[in-house]
Amino acid sequence: MDEKLDIHTAIKDTLPTVFGYIGIGIAFGIVGKAAGFNPLIVLLMSILIYAGSAQFITVSMLASHSPILSIVFSTFLVNSRMLLMSMTLAPYFKKESLSKNILIGTLLTDESFALGMNKLNYSGNKLSFRWFNTANGISYLTWIISSLGGALLGNFITNPEKLGLDFALVAMFIGLLYLQMISDNATSTLLQIIVIAFTLILIYVGLIFIPGNLLILLVTLLGCGFGVVIKHAFF
Amino acid sequence: MPSFNFTLLTILGCGMATWVSRVFPFILLKKFDLPKPVIDYLSFVPIVIMSALWFSSLFNQHLGSLPQVNYENLLASVPTVIGAIIFKNLLVIVIIGIVSLGVIRLIGIA
């Protein structure tokens, strides 16, 4: 990554994250097809809901005939961590028009958020609409095409995991986490490691009694609070 | 299987739900500034969210009992972390991760 914020650089910066969307998108398409939904429905889900884990939940709850309100509410809860990410990101686009802000928010993902946070460390703490919108757009298109591809391929592939593609997303989070740690000079490395270790404990303990998708939100809320407290107490 | 109309309505509802959580803060913060303590708090969001997403993939959940270690993902994480430290390049890190898990499954360790 470098300090440039043009479209060409955005494409270059976003490329590594594309594998994550392809892996999970294809998996989603296959799962959706296997649950009995036709490729059009799968496609509409990816276009309109556009949320990895939440879409898996929508599919399984639809297939098990859950009431509509509980499906919508579950989707909201699973995805509500986006509130935190949007809140963190929004100040960087304060000078842009409202419609540009809405567009950035509409296509924001875990990955484009993480990518943007990383970029800040190289760009002198600035983001541009063009850069972010390009990153978002590539992600959105890749997600739509891969999930449709998965739904169409669904008849032929029964075991998408064999290729190791499902690890692309995890590998990406590992990479982005490490790159964030080494490039963020505002927070000391020791504090970062303490917060990450605390996050591991929270995840482990939380998994015992809190459903995984809700857990990410709760852990994020608690982990950030822990970070602030430790920072003010010891750093 | 639910009817096409029910499915469509559900998708629209879920779409609204995800859209609101993405867009609402952008609209709100266009008008208001965040107080300093909140900015401090939010500065931890990136590392906490990314590590939470990573760590949750290292365990298989069984509600009510201790999580089981997902050895495949745990093992594949080792070369991925080492690759991150050596190469500091996201594309290389992702490829190392995919190949690592592929190899682990191929030779059937874990």
Side-chain angles (χ1 to χ4, degrees):
Chain A
M1 270 196 198
D2 54 31
E3 76 292 346
K4 291 198 208 90
L5 286 164
D6 55 279
I7 292 178
H8 179 77
T9 313
I11 297 171
K12 211 175 70 193
D13 291 342
T14 313
L15 188 70
T17 70
V18 161
F19 292 92
Y21 297 105
I22 295 176
I24 306 297
I26 291 177
F28 173 73
I30 293 172
V31 167
K33 183 75 180 34
F37 297 98
N38 67 43
L40 174 67
I41 293 287
V42 169
L43 183 66
L44 281 174
M45 283 186 186
S46 288
I47 291 174
L48 295 172
I49 306 177
Y50 190 37
S53 49
Q55 279 179 231
F56 281 96
I57 288 171
T58 313
V59 161
S60 67
M61 290 184 81
L62 265 173
S64 64
H65 296 272
S66 304
I68 185 163
L69 277 181
S70 61
I71 304 179
V72 171
F73 188 62
S74 304
T75 304
F76 176 77
L77 278 185
V78 167
N79 220 49
S80 51
R81 64 173 187 281
M82 298 305 293
L83 280 166
L84 282 173
M85 286 187 248
S86 292
M87 212 184 280
T88 309
L89 189 64
Y92 297 97
F93 294 98
K94 207 174 166 67
K95 291 201 182 78
E96 302 284 354
S97 69
L98 184 63
S99 56
K100 283 182 175 173
N101 270 275
I102 290 175
L103 190 58
I104 292 287
T106 301
L107 297 184
L108 182 66
T109 64
D110 291 330
E111 294 80 357
S112 64
F113 169 78
L115 207 59
M117 290 297 114
N118 246 294
K119 187 73 184 180
L120 287 173
N121 301 310
Y122 298 88
S123 63
N125 213 34
K126 278 193 310 256
L127 288 172
S128 76
F129 173 77
R130 289 170 92 183
W131 184 87
F132 213 98
N133 195 44
T134 308
N136 270 347
I138 294 171
S139 311
Y140 190 47
L141 284 179
T142 311
W143 179 249
I144 292 171
I145 294 167
S146 338
S147 47
L148 179 64
L152 296 173
L153 278 171
N155 301 319
F156 308 106
I157 301 179
T158 46
N159 191 1
E161 290 175 354
K162 198 138 198 185
L163 299 166
L165 265 179
D166 50 321
F167 197 72
L169 211 62
V170 179
M172 195 186 67
F173 290 127
I174 293 175
L176 286 169
L177 175 64
Y178 181 74
L179 296 174
Q180 179 70 26
M181 285 175 68
I182 57 170
S183 52
D184 177 5
N185 300 319
T187 318
S188 84
T189 308
L190 180 62
L191 177 59
Q192 288 175 331
I193 291 172
I194 293 171
V195 172
I196 292 168
F198 183 70
T199 306
L200 176 59
I201 296 168
L202 285 178
I203 287 282
Y204 186 79
V205 174
L207 278 170
I208 301 169
F209 57 95
I210 301 164
N213 284 304
L214 187 58
L215 185 62
I216 302 291
L217 173 69
L218 283 174
V219 166
T220 306
L221 289 171
L222 287 172
C224 293
F226 175 82
V228 172
V229 170
I230 297 295
K231 184 179 175 183
H232 287 282
F234 301 107
F235 286 87
Chain B
M1 188 50 43
S3 74
F4 182 81
N5 284 341
F6 181 85
T7 305
L8 194 62
L9 202 63
T10 308
I11 292 174
L12 285 173
C14 292
M16 281 307 287
T18 59
W19 190 66
V20 165
S21 40
R22 288 186 170 118
V23 165
F24 180 66
F26 278 92
I27 296 173
L28 198 70
L29 296 182
K30 187 87 184 109
K31 288 217 164 66
F32 304 99
D33 281 317
L34 288 171
K36 178 82 175 61
V38 179
I39 295 176
D40 238 19
Y41 179 85
L42 292 174
S43 72
F44 287 96
V45 169
I47 59 165
V48 176
I49 271 195
M50 284 181 263
S51 43
L53 289 165
W54 172 27
F55 295 146
S56 65
S57 79
L58 300 182
F59 301 102
N60 298 320
Q61 184 171 43
H62 303 280
L63 281 173
S65 50
L66 289 179
Q68 269 180 339
V69 176
N70 180 328
Y71 286 102
E72 279 189 343
N73 283 357
L74 181 63
L75 274 179
S77 294
V78 176
T80 311
V81 170
I82 295 170
I85 295 168
I86 296 174
F87 297 105
K88 299 177 176 61
N89 175 314
L90 194 55
L91 187 59
V92 176
I93 299 168
V94 169
I95 292 170
I96 291 176
I98 296 173
V99 172
S100 304
L101 188 64
V103 168
I104 287 167
R105 286 197 178 135
L106 190 70
I107 57 180
I109 46 176

